[in-house]
Amino acid sequence: MAEMHQITFVPPPSNSESSIPNQETPVCNQFTCQSSLALQLFSDANGVEGLLPLFTYAITMVDNNISFPGLVGKHVITIEGLGTAKNPHPLQERVAKLHGSQCGFCTPGIIMSLYALIRNAYNPKTQKFHLSENDIELEGHLDGNLCRCTGYKPILQAAKTFVTEDLKGQLLEEPSEPRVEISAEDKSKEDTLYRSESQSDNPVKSTFSCGRPGGCCRDQQSGTLCGSVKDAPPERSSSSTLLSDSGSSSPTSSDSTKVVDSDTSSETHNEAADLNGSTYGKPMKSRENKSKGIEGVKATSALEAPPLKGTDKGVLQFDFRPYSPSTELIFPPALRKFEDIPISYCSSQKIWIRPLSLSQLVAVKAAYPMAKIISGSSEVQIEIRFKNAPYYVLVYIGDVPELAETQVPETEAEIQTLKELVVGANTTLTEVEQICKTLYTKLGQRASPLEALRKQLRYFAGRQIRNVASIAGNIATASPISDISPLLVATKASLVAQNFSGEITLPMTQFFIGYRKTTLPPDSIITRVHIPLPAPGTSELTKAYKQAKRKDDDIAIVTAAMRVKLNANMEVEDISLIYGGMAPTVKRAEFAEGVLIGKLWADQKTLDEGIDALTKDFDLKFGVLGGMATYRKTLAISFFFRFWHEVMTDLNLGKVDIQAATEIHRGISRGMRDNHNPHAQRVVGQQVPHLSALKQNTGQAEYVDDMPPQARELYGALVLSAKAHAKIISVDWTPALAPGLALGYVDRHSIPKEANLWGSAIKDEPFFAENKVFSHGQPIGLVYAETSHKAQAAAKAVNVVYEELPPILTIDEAIEANSFFPHSKELRKGAQLAEMDKIFAGCDRVFTGLTRMGGQEHFYLETNAALCIPLEDDAMEVWSSTQNTMEVQEFVSQVLGVPSNRVNARVKRMGGAFGGKESRACQLAAILAVAAKKENRPVRCMLNRDEDIMTSGQRHPVQSRWKVGVTNKGKLVALDADVYDNGGYSQDMSGSVLDRCITHLENCYQIPNVHIRAHACRTNTVSNTAFRGFGGPQGMWITETIMSTIAEGLDIPIDELRLRNMYKQGDLTPFHQKIDEDWHVPLLIEQIHKEADYEARKVKVDEFNSKNKWRKRGIAMIPTKFGLSFATALHLNQAGAMVRIYGDGSILLNHGGTEMGQGLYTKMCQIAAQELGVPLDSVFTQDTTSYQVANASPTAASSGSDLNGMAIKNACDQLNERLQPYRKKYGSNAPMKTLAHAAYLDRVDLNAHGFWKMPRIGHIWGEYDPAKQNPMYYYFTQGVAISEVELDCLTGDHTVLRTDIKMDIGRSINPAIDYGQIEGAFIQGQGLYTIEESLWTQNGELSTRGPGTYKIPGFSDIPQEFNVTFLQGVSWQHLRSIQSSKGIGEPPLFLGCSVFFALREALRSARKDNGIEEPLVLQSPATAERLRLAVGDPLLKKGTVAEGKDKNFFVSIT
């Protein structure tokens, strides 16, 4: 019988008192984007310290008004605790210097995850570090972190420097898993400035002993403070790592690693000193002192992250701060003496209780049977956020020690006689994973249930969630797609629960009784989980399986756990086949189990009968909840097929296909960049790290929602349509205005009717819905309140009554309903329209097809945000996360009814954009401006991830219906095509996207006769918009699909077909632009063939496929040419810039380009510094503002550097002309402070406005005479990629083995930034063509609106070998672009489809083995589902679910 205990009530801790950095509005509400922004520093009873990466949404947002009670008595470290830009932690410095941060929004979370890994690698007993590349990359420490910019490669490279660099310790030589040992008592603590307590310049003095086990430093004679740096010199020491072309540091040895002096390097440029380090003159404006010159120095500056020191035989050299564990934060002495007590506190809506013992917990549960038990809070937050779960009493159990007691035997004898593993209910999943791993290494096959559990846990969620989620919490959620529950049912595990009456035992085989329902009594708490192990000597095996959209950190589509026990005759004595994802609850395949009992396992008939029986156990309907009926049923069969083979292999029952028994596992990634730049100048061409990189790595970079609260500021929340197409019958705002909620609202009645329409090309979209809604997520209004949480609650309280109307969702439905926007463009080349039929009739072969390509969510890490600040004179300052300050300015002025000169649109940086903030950012900014004007108070809002996805639009889904005529030798003769894009409910830029799509439809191939028509479809989906590539990736993908169809139809090697039809200089494109001397694709193909050993690898792929049935490989080479300019909006091809030189020699640069992570600010500063002959650090760009540069074109179309760079050069040319007399007077090397001061005294204007408009271009739509036509594009950025993949034919899973990319980007302004753009764009393209899939429900609701359902590539999805090089040895003088460079942001993205076409080749091999002769039709994206369903094997045939009259649960809107 439990005893009653008194629990002390304490005032609730406020979020504002927490050190967790957190926006008022959480960005990713399904917890996989920015995990691990905070760490918990813990210390055990022996004084051993460690770090736990935390699931920060759970610990800060459990209650809207109250912090997480689990923080009581804990020490939490955030990114601000590691270092600053001026004094960074070595990890922060390395990620910055190695270009691992682009937009920077994800960087703090990644830094904290890596920091925990590196710090936890320290063994305090041996005072050594043990860290390997395997630890960094393959153990899941970064699974919970996503990055949309970098492609992950430089982040991993930076982390691996802690392994490959000799950190003044002993390097262990382990070829398979290199590790580094670092002595804690090294000299680095004497020569490094770094110290975690970076907030103060001097150690904080302490007058008392901290009580640290083993003694306190205050007890020592030296009196040094714990964790402080003794006698740190003013200058840091210089440690260097030579980064080789392989992309990682070279092994530590005397001949490969050198310590480089801080002032010199072996091959630095002669002018390297001029790149960094400026001095500024003191104020002196009197002409009387002119003769004395400039006296003294007012200030100095330097780059926060200086560029590389130089190269040594192509190896980059960096100065890195040495890492010393003695400089890290210690566990606070005060917390060692903290006396914990049970507590309770409450708000007006919730009660929080934190018991400290099991008896206290049982008493609480007896008093409040319906109280919600909280441990990691991951599932609870989903229930609160998406299901509006009304939890009133919440009990945090993380500090109840009895629930975390796991009985692990210590002696070898105890381990060998272990009959079951007893796990404490609140043991974290990370701990369980480690326990299972340890026991399996000692028990071997007898611990197969534990190994199966470890395997499932390794790919369950991210490491940050596994660190706080408990095994009992996972079980109690009763998820039908649980990774763990099927295993516990299969092993016949049991739960022990306790209530006020005592303990009860709950068998897992009977635990789940319905959807999210269990046999656990309401007043009971699970205390232990008992997992039985097979007896020694028995032939029993347990295996577990999972298939998801993405292998790491993803919820399952289907899970399974299978256990079989064989008797002495190897017949089935007992068997469990348990599945998740096949029913509303975990489901046993009872019929199949019954069929298999008594069967000889090694008999092929056993396998066949088991498969047949499973088809009866899982007779899914085509329209089953969750969709994917055929795939799920096929997976259920395929898992059993794999299980049968694994048992045969592990128990040595006979020879079987080993490939059927093994899954794909990736290795450690590697790769190279060609770091030699023959065109490097003093500043331009240097690999300068992003100028904000260190601020981004230290959490000091400020984004819109990071801006400090304004006086009397309000928070807005959008009220969005819950229907895809409906009449609005009524909107009742009254509930939202209840006490404690909103202060007011704005809607269509708040602005004039004529001001309510907006749009980039055609103003056809209302800011506020009027009488109808046309898309799920269309804004109806906005409420505003004193806090974001109140505003969000108020938005949910608004009552909208609809009358639903039938929605149009897909392109097919739009075509049938004749639902199009008034946009129709054509391309014609060669034969007249009347002659096209004759041309096709004369072709040897004519192929037709229908290709579909899905859209893509931008998934920038920073969702749309804005802050509107009313000023006097009806003016408004608008901070917006926008690529387009001009458009924000225009539409805000429209809704306010003021001229544009009263609106200052500003943006300093964005946390990613990719086109999604080119037009769509205007909507939120304008709506907030209406509210700000109404209340005359600042109003801000940052959208939740689901709100952002529902309102911001996506890449356009595209469909093409085409016909192509060729000769028998494969020469293209004619192409006729209709191209449709799904524009959504408003036009936005759908027409312009189509224009670029059809002008890239031929990719790199000469087609003599062309007729292409474009159609923009109007549907009831989100209004789709610009996305990196802007239609180009869709058009070129259609081309390559057509080429594959032709090659397979004519039985011509696809690479040969490409070469036969490749453009030659002098050819005309379908839009009549001549291919000129800048045509380098053939050269790129020639070079990459040799560098990637392409032909030999194709032979090896064929050899592999001939020996393997269930694992197939494919390799593909894809070229691209991407046109640069705003092709369909000529007026946008202009830019302005302002360059101001101050009297002290400092320079302020303003231009119309915006910084979204692509390094534009950095490149533009390099150009200005190069042109003016000054160090880079003397040039500063504060932000982009419409008050500095009027009428700025959006930063898009990969033209940011071209347009703004030339405008800056124009301004600098003016200034150089004015300064020329002073350079003659004071010398060509005179510092700018001297020149500027002298010019000022002579009343010379040191302000220059630069301007540039792109020449030559100006395509005339509808003009089909080449002689009268102008170029559409200024030039083409070109490239070629080769990718090799391996496909698991049983599941559809795949891995990218290798990718090689070679790009023609002209003369790079900053090679490091350009490499990052190429790698990041490629990975984004890889996601577009493989795993990223947007889905809607039948009623038009967008289903994939968060990281839980929409998957972008993660760290484990990048190519295992990733090589990137630039074309060299050709002339680009004809380009007439800034520094003869080429735009690089968008062009490489299409090359990601080399993975798609490599997978296509792998499928062709599989289909050939299975006797499938029909042409392969593979639509994009090539998800695991599509890949598996295209294999065509007998298992698929058994798993196929007939469509019948059912509709698929999900809708793909292509």
Side-chain angles (χ1 to χ4, degrees):
M1 181 75 68
E3 299 179 1
M4 295 295 295
H5 292 265
Q6 180 178 357
I7 296 179
T8 304
F9 179 85
V10 298
S14 168
N15 266 338
S16 61
E17 297 171 355
S18 171
S19 62
I20 306 293
N22 185 73
Q23 289 94 355
E24 271 281 337
T25 305
V27 174
C28 274
N29 37 44
Q30 291 175 349
F31 326 128
T32 59
C33 308
Q34 291 178 266
S35 296
S36 193
L37 279 169
L39 307 174
Q40 178 185 325
L41 176 60
F42 62 86
S43 177
D44 63 18
N46 298 316
V48 178
E49 297 178 358
L51 283 177
L52 190 68
L54 295 177
F55 170 41
T56 54
Y57 188 97
I59 66 173
T60 61
M61 301 301 296
V62 164
D63 187 356
N64 288 342
N65 302 305
I66 304 178
S67 287
F68 193 45
L71 294 178
V72 176
K74 308 299 192 302
H75 181 55
V76 176
I77 302 174
T78 68
I79 190 72
E80 292 83 358
L82 298 194
T84 65
K86 294 184 181 299
N87 185 27
H89 186 279
L91 173 62
Q92 295 168 319
E93 180 197 43
R94 295 179 191 195
V95 174
K97 283 190 172 183
L98 293 181
H99 316 285
S101 179
Q102 289 186 21
C103 84
F105 205 79
C106 65
T107 306
I110 292 172
I111 289 292
M112 298 307 285
S113 293
L114 287 173
Y115 175 66
L117 170 64
I118 292 166
R119 182 161 176 180
N120 285 338
Y122 175 65
N123 187 330
K125 294 182 179 179
T126 62
Q127 294 189 334
K128 301 285 185 179
F129 269 86
H130 294 268
L131 188 66
S132 72
E133 292 187 348
N134 184 81
D135 296 328
I136 292 169
E137 195 165 346
L138 301 183
E139 294 300 319
H141 296 285
L142 293 167
D143 286 354
N145 298 97
L146 293 176
C147 175
R148 196 56 154 164
C149 298
T150 63
Y152 301 106
K153 178 181 168 184
I155 301 172
L156 293 171
Q157 180 186 3
K160 290 174 185 178
T161 62
F162 288 90
V163 177
T164 55
E165 184 178 356
D166 182 8
L167 298 178
K168 300 185 179 180
Q170 179 184 359
L171 181 67
L172 296 181
E173 297 294 337
E174 296 184 25
S176 61
E177 193 172 299
R179 292 177 179 268
V180 64
E181 285 196 0
I182 311 144
S183 171
E185 300 298 328
D186 57 42
K187 295 181 181 179
S188 60
K189 66 182 180 181
E190 298 177 0
D191 61 10
T192 179
L193 179 64
Y194 163 71
R195 187 164 56 85
S196 292
E197 301 88 329
S198 56
Q199 290 82 358
S200 62
D201 295 330
N202 300 300
V204 178
K205 300 294 182 181
S206 175
T207 58
F208 61 92
S209 171
C210 67
R212 184 175 188 173
C216 173
C217 53
R218 292 294 301 170
D219 299 330
Q220 303 169 6
Q221 292 182 356
S222 63
T224 307
L225 184 67
C226 287
S228 65
V229 182
K230 182 180 180 181
D231 300 326
E235 298 293 333
R236 65 174 183 167
S237 66
S238 175
S239 169
S240 175
T241 293
L242 301 186
L243 298 177
S244 68
D245 286 348
S246 65
S248 59
S249 305
S250 55
T252 303
S253 63
S254 59
D255 60 351
S256 62
T257 299
K258 307 173 185 177
V259 176
V260 182
D261 185 85
S262 60
D263 294 323
T264 61
S265 63
S266 58
E267 289 186 15
T268 57
H269 294 277
N270 293 332
E271 298 175 293
D274 295 334
L275 174 62
N276 182 29
S278 298
T279 60
Y280 306 101
K282 289 183 177 180
M284 197 171 76
K285 302 176 182 178
S286 171
R287 182 171 289 275
E288 287 78 6
N289 293 327
K290 181 177 179 181
S291 60
K292 297 182 179 179
I294 305 299
E295 297 178 358
V297 174
K298 174 179 68 176
T300 62
S301 67
L303 297 175
E304 291 176 346
L308 59 94
K309 294 180 64 61
T311 61
D312 184 2
K313 298 178 181 179
V315 180
L316 302 184
Q317 301 182 61
F318 286 87
D319 282 343
F320 287 145
R321 294 173 180 232
Y323 176 64
S324 173
S326 62
T327 63
E328 296 287 15
L329 284 167
I330 65 168
F331 191 78
L335 285 181
R336 294 184 182 279
K337 303 177 180 181
F338 178 76
E339 294 184 7
D340 222 348
I341 59 172
I343 61 173
S344 173
Y345 51 79
C346 66
S347 68
S348 60
Q349 298 176 328
K350 288 181 173 62
I351 299 175
W352 272 99
I353 302 173
R354 187 187 70 132
L356 294 180
S357 68
L358 181 58
S359 58
Q360 292 173 0
L361 173 59
V362 169
V364 170
K365 201 63 165 122
Y368 303 102
M370 303 309 295
K372 187 65 177 178
I373 301 299
I374 303 290
S375 178
S377 191
S378 54
E379 183 73 17
V380 172
Q381 283 309 297
I382 293 177
E383 293 171 351
I384 292 174
R385 178 70 182 85
F386 294 103
K387 302 177 183 179
N388 297 316
Y391 297 133
Y392 303 113
V393 180
L394 301 102
V395 183
Y396 174 68
I397 61 171
D399 294 323
V400 177
E402 296 97 321
L403 296 181
E405 294 176 354
T406 297
Q407 302 170 14
V408 181
E410 297 182 357
T411 67
E412 187 64 25
E414 290 175 331
I415 291 174
Q416 294 303 320
T417 57
L418 185 67
K419 295 182 179 180
E420 65 175 5
L421 175 64
V422 181
V423 180
N426 204 38
T427 303
T428 67
L429 299 183
T430 291
E431 293 179 76
V432 175
E433 182 184 354
Q434 186 58 47
I435 291 168
C436 290
K437 182 178 181 180
T438 301
L439 291 177
Y440 181 69
T441 58
K442 297 183 178 181
L443 288 173
Q445 187 173 288
R446 195 165 77 84
S448 65
L450 304 184
E451 172 59 13
L453 179 56
R454 182 209 63 78
K455 175 188 168 188
Q456 295 298 82
L457 291 176
R458 167 60 183 84
Y459 297 108
F460 172 82
R463 176 64 64 188
Q464 295 80 9
I465 289 181
R466 296 198 294 272
N467 282 342
V468 294
S470 67
I471 186 169
N474 183 275
I475 297 168
T477 60
S479 170
I481 54 172
S482 169
D483 296 355
I484 299 174
S485 295
L487 180 70
L488 298 178
V489 175
T491 57
K492 300 182 179 179
S494 61
L495 309 176
V496 175
Q498 187 168 336
N499 56 25
F500 212 63
S501 301
E503 288 189 342
I504 54 176
T505 299
L506 303 171
M508 284 296 299
T509 54
Q510 304 169 19
F511 188 66
F512 303 107
I513 56 177
Y515 178 70
R516 301 281 183 173
K517 295 181 180 179
T518 70
T519 57
L520 180 67
D523 64 344
S524 300
I525 184 79
I526 300 173
T527 58
R528 300 189 303 278
V529 181
H530 292 249
I531 306 173
L533 301 181
T538 58
S539 298
E540 183 174 337
L541 275 180
T542 302
K543 300 288 182 179
Y545 308 95
K546 171 184 177 178
Q547 184 59 41
K549 293 181 180 181
R550 183 180 64 206
K551 191 172 184 67
D552 295 270
D553 189 18
D554 194 5
I555 58 176
I557 298 170
V558 175
T559 60
M562 303 182 186
R563 179 187 60 85
V564 66
K565 181 179 181 181
L566 305 179
N567 60 22
N569 297 322
M570 296 296 111
E571 297 167 337
V572 178
E573 179 179 320
D574 188 23
I575 189 168
S576 295
L577 305 175
I578 315 298
Y579 287 84
M582 300 299 291
T585 186
V586 171
K587 182 174 173 60
R588 175 186 296 275
E590 295 184 52
F591 182 70
E593 290 177 355
V595 167
L596 294 170
I597 291 293
K599 297 293 173 57
L600 180 66
W601 189 262
D603 191 341
Q604 179 69 33
K605 292 182 180 179
T606 301
L607 175 60
D608 295 339
E609 291 177 8
I611 290 172
D612 290 338
L614 284 171
T615 64
K616 296 181 174 62
D617 276 308
F618 301 115
D619 187 19
L620 301 181
K621 301 299 181 182
F622 185 78
V624 64
L625 185 69
M628 299 185 282
T630 294
Y631 184 44
R632 288 157 66 184
K633 187 173 181 179
T634 302
L635 281 175
I637 295 170
S638 299
F639 286 162
F640 176 71
F641 183 85
R642 173 156 282 162
F643 177 63
W644 185 87
H645 281 80
E646 285 200 77
V647 173
M648 291 289 294
T649 301
D650 289 2
L651 297 182
N652 298 314
L653 301 181
K655 187 176 181 180
V656 295
D657 185 353
I658 189 65
Q659 294 293 331
T662 56
E663 301 178 33
I664 289 177
H665 296 285
R666 64 178 283 119
I668 295 171
S669 66
R670 58 194 178 95
M672 58 85 71
R673 295 174 172 178
D674 180 8
N675 287 306
H676 174 61
N677 182 14
H679 310 292
Q681 303 172 57
R682 181 181 58 86
V683 182
V684 166
Q686 299 295 333
Q687 297 201 33
V688 177
H690 195 293
L691 293 181
S692 294
L694 268 175
K695 285 188 281 289
Q696 292 166 185
N697 276 270
T698 56
Q700 293 173 286
E702 188 177 83
Y703 302 85
V704 171
D705 206 50
D706 294 324
M707 294 178 64
Q710 306 295 306
R712 303 176 65 243
E713 182 178 271
L714 298 173
Y715 292 84
L718 292 174
V719 177
L720 303 175
S721 169
K723 306 297 179 184
H725 190 201
K727 294 180 181 178
I728 297 177
I729 304 303
S730 65
V731 180
D732 184 6
W733 299 93
T734 306
L737 303 177
L741 293 178
L743 299 181
Y745 69 91
V746 291
D747 65 1
R748 65 188 180 95
H749 301 293
S750 304
I751 56 177
K753 184 177 179 64
E754 61 273 13
N756 195 31
L757 288 177
W758 72 287
S760 288
I762 297 175
K763 295 178 175 58
D764 64 346
E765 180 176 352
F767 285 111
F768 302 107
E770 295 184 341
N771 298 317
K772 289 183 180 180
V773 290
F774 297 95
S775 172
H776 174 238
Q778 182 180 350
I780 294 174
L782 175 119
V783 294
Y784 46 86
E786 296 286 355
T787 70
S788 173
H789 305 304
K790 290 179 180 180
Q792 288 285 338
K796 292 179 181 178
V798 176
N799 183 26
V800 184
V801 178
Y802 305 92
E803 179 185 323
E804 288 197 65
L805 301 171
I808 296 173
L809 301 178
T810 69
I811 291 176
D812 288 337
E813 291 171 352
I815 294 172
E816 184 178 355
N818 196 31
S819 180
F820 299 103
F821 292 108
H823 177 92
S824 182
K825 296 284 184 67
E826 294 186 20
L827 293 179
R828 300 178 190 174
K829 173 188 170 185
Q832 298 297 314
L833 294 185
E835 299 174 352
M836 287 294 284
D837 289 343
K838 183 178 179 180
I839 295 292
F840 277 108
C843 294
D844 295 330
R845 296 286 300 275
V846 175
F847 297 91
T848 61
L850 188 155
T851 58
R852 303 176 190 271
M853 179 174 166
Q856 184 181 26
E857 165 55 34
H858 302 88
F859 219 102
Y860 31 68
L861 272 293
E862 178 205 27
T863 56
N864 271 288
L867 168 62
C868 295
I869 307 171
L871 305 173
E872 62 181 354
D873 299 322
D874 295 326
M876 185 81 70
E877 184 169 73
V878 180
W879 288 91
S880 171
S881 55
T882 181
Q883 299 171 241
N884 195 342
T885 54
M886 177 183 176
E887 205 160 89
V888 168
Q889 180 189 42
E890 285 184 332
F891 285 116
V892 169
S893 68
Q894 173 181 302
V895 297
L896 296 181
V898 299
S900 291
N901 65 3
R902 302 298 175 92
V903 177
N904 186 17
R906 304 180 69 177
V907 57
K908 185 172 182 64
R909 62 172 60 85
M910 287 166 276
F914 315 114
K917 297 173 181 177
E918 183 178 348
S919 66
R920 306 306 298 177
C922 299
Q923 183 181 56
L924 180 62
I927 290 174
L928 290 177
V930 175
K933 178 182 179 181
K934 179 180 178 180
E935 295 294 332
N936 196 31
R937 294 173 65 176
V939 183
R940 87 162 69 208
C941 177
M942 184 176 189
L943 299 181
N944 288 331
R945 178 65 61 186
D946 55 334
E947 294 170 336
D948 187 89
I949 292 178
M950 287 191 291
T951 58
S952 65
Q954 303 188 2
R955 184 186 299 278
H956 287 74
V958 166
Q959 179 187 127
S960 178
R961 303 178 181 191
W962 52 265
K963 178 171 68 172
V964 62
V966 298
T967 68
N968 285 329
K969 293 186 178 180
K971 288 291 287 184
L972 298 172
V973 176
L975 171 66
D976 183 272
D978 285 284
V979 181
Y980 305 84
D981 73 3
N982 191 325
Y985 76 97
S986 72
Q987 186 155 346
D988 195 84
M989 288 183 275
S990 299
S992 299
V993 168
L994 261 181
D995 295 344
R996 181 174 282 272
C997 178
I998 63 176
T999 59
H1000 285 72
L1001 199 63
E1002 92 295 5
N1003 195 10
C1004 298
Y1005 312 115
Q1006 164 69 354
I1007 310 174
N1009 304 285
V1010 176
H1011 186 203
I1012 303 172
R1013 298 162 297 278
H1015 315 273
C1017 298
R1018 185 197 298 268
T1019 62
N1020 296 117
T1021 67
V1022 61
S1023 184
N1024 292 315
T1025 190
F1027 196 143
R1028 195 178 200 171
F1030 203 77
Q1034 294 97 311
M1036 291 183 283
W1037 177 80
I1038 293 170
T1039 311
E1040 295 302 334
T1041 299
I1042 292 172
M1043 295 294 283
S1044 294
T1045 302
I1046 296 170
E1048 293 159 20
L1050 296 178
D1051 196 23
I1052 296 175
I1054 183 64
D1055 295 318
E1056 179 62 29
L1057 182 71
R1058 291 191 178 102
L1059 291 176
R1060 291 180 188 180
N1061 293 282
M1062 188 69 60
Y1063 273 131
K1064 297 180 179 62
Q1065 188 172 333
D1067 288 342
L1068 292 179
T1069 67
F1071 43 95
H1072 304 290
Q1073 181 164 341
K1074 183 178 290 188
I1075 299 297
D1076 59 17
E1077 67 269 32
D1078 190 43
W1079 182 240
H1080 297 134
V1081 168
L1083 179 60
L1084 289 166
I1085 290 176
E1086 178 185 345
Q1087 292 186 3
I1088 199 171
H1089 265 235
K1090 296 177 182 178
E1091 294 167 2
D1093 200 16
Y1094 182 50
E1095 296 301 328
R1097 287 168 58 202
K1098 286 199 294 185
V1099 173
K1100 291 181 180 179
V1101 166
D1102 290 340
E1103 291 176 356
F1104 179 91
N1105 289 340
S1106 67
K1107 299 175 183 178
N1108 295 280
K1109 177 179 175 60
W1110 297 105
R1111 297 262 286 277
K1112 293 293 183 180
R1113 289 184 178 177
I1115 188 170
M1117 180 200 70
I1118 297 293
T1120 185
K1121 71 165 180 51
F1122 189 91
L1124 268 293
S1125 76
F1126 286 98
T1128 59
L1130 183 63
H1131 64 280
L1132 295 180
N1133 293 285
Q1134 61 175 302
M1138 285 293 300
V1139 180
R1140 299 174 175 85
I1141 303 177
Y1142 292 94
D1144 64 354
S1146 62
I1147 297 163
L1148 180 64
L1149 172 63
N1150 289 103
H1151 52 81
T1154 59
E1155 176 61 54
M1156 62 194 89
Q1158 85 282 38
L1160 182 67
Y1161 279 11
T1162 303
K1163 284 185 173 182
M1164 296 304 96
C1165 286
Q1166 284 182 267
I1167 290 170
Q1170 181 73 42
E1171 295 296 330
L1172 293 175
V1174 298
L1176 178 57
D1177 54 286
S1178 66
V1179 183
F1180 176 66
T1181 299
Q1182 170 66 29
D1183 55 34
T1184 302
T1185 164
S1186 57
Y1187 272 11
Q1188 293 290 345
V1189 178
N1191 310 318
S1193 295
T1195 307
S1198 300
S1199 62
S1201 293
D1202 283 341
L1203 296 176
N1204 295 288
M1206 291 297 277
I1208 292 168
K1209 183 180 185 303
N1210 177 252
C1212 291
D1213 288 345
Q1214 299 172 43
L1215 291 168
N1216 281 329
E1217 184 177 354
R1218 298 170 196 170
L1219 292 174
Q1220 184 61 26
Y1222 304 99
R1223 286 200 167 101
K1224 288 183 179 180
K1225 179 176 182 180
Y1226 295 102
S1228 59
N1229 294 322
M1232 183 57 74
K1233 63 182 180 181
T1234 300
L1235 303 176
H1237 185 75
Y1240 166 76
L1241 293 178
D1242 285 345
R1243 296 181 293 176
V1244 173
D1245 183 10
L1246 294 179
N1247 302 275
H1249 170 252
F1251 180 79
W1252 190 72
K1253 63 179 181 179
M1254 192 174 283
R1256 297 200 308 258
I1257 59 172
H1259 180 83
I1260 305 169
W1261 286 94
E1263 177 57 68
Y1264 305 116
D1265 183 352
K1268 299 179 180 179
Q1269 192 55 272
N1270 297 317
M1272 179 169 291
Y1273 297 110
Y1274 195 48
Y1275 58 80
F1276 296 102
T1277 297
Q1278 303 151 57
V1280 180
I1282 295 173
S1283 288
E1284 183 179 350
V1285 302
E1286 186 168 320
L1287 172 68
D1288 183 343
C1289 295
L1290 277 176
T1291 64
D1293 216 358
H1294 77 272
T1295 187
V1296 183
L1297 300 174
R1298 176 175 171 178
T1299 290
D1300 296 83
I1301 301 174
K1302 196 170 194 70
M1303 295 293 301
D1304 167 19
I1305 64 166
R1307 296 181 176 180
S1308 175
I1309 296 172
N1310 186 320
I1313 287 176
D1314 289 343
Y1315 276 124
Q1317 288 290 287
I1318 293 169
E1319 292 166 354
F1322 177 88
I1323 297 302
Q1324 199 170 59
Q1326 177 186 334
L1328 165 65
Y1329 295 109
T1330 57
I1331 66 173
E1332 296 187 44
E1333 184 178 31
S1334 295
L1335 295 171
W1336 276 253
T1337 61
Q1338 289 291 339
N1339 64 3
E1341 179 179 334
L1342 179 58
S1343 178
T1344 49
R1345 55 180 191 266
T1349 51
Y1350 187 88
K1351 299 298 169 181
I1352 69 171
F1355 278 90
S1356 296
D1357 295 303
I1358 68 174
Q1360 295 184 46
E1361 183 176 347
F1362 199 0
N1363 306 312
V1364 183
T1365 58
F1366 296 159
L1367 178 67
Q1368 302 291 2
V1370 300
S1371 173
W1372 292 283
Q1373 294 297 329
H1374 57 277
L1375 281 183
R1376 295 173 64 190
S1377 63
I1378 184 67
Q1379 296 289 333
S1380 296
S1381 65
K1382 288 188 175 184
I1384 195 59
E1386 296 172 286
L1389 184 139
F1390 169 67
L1391 296 178
C1393 81
S1394 60
V1395 174
F1396 175 96
F1397 286 100
L1399 288 167
R1400 198 177 193 280
E1401 292 299 308
L1403 278 177
R1404 289 184 64 213
S1405 176
R1407 290 166 66 87
K1408 182 179 179 181
D1409 288 352
N1410 289 308
I1412 305 299
E1413 298 180 354
E1414 299 92 40
L1416 172 60
V1417 178
L1418 182 64
Q1419 310 293 10
S1420 178
T1423 60
E1425 177 189 13
R1426 284 200 173 111
L1427 292 170
R1428 180 64 185 92
L1429 269 54
V1431 172
D1433 59 294
L1435 299 181
L1436 172 64
K1437 294 176 182 177
K1438 290 181 181 292
T1440 299
V1441 177
E1443 183 172 348
K1445 296 181 180 180
D1446 288 347
K1447 290 184 178 180
N1448 200 334
F1449 182 81
F1450 288 120
V1451 178
S1452 177
I1453 63 172
T1454 55

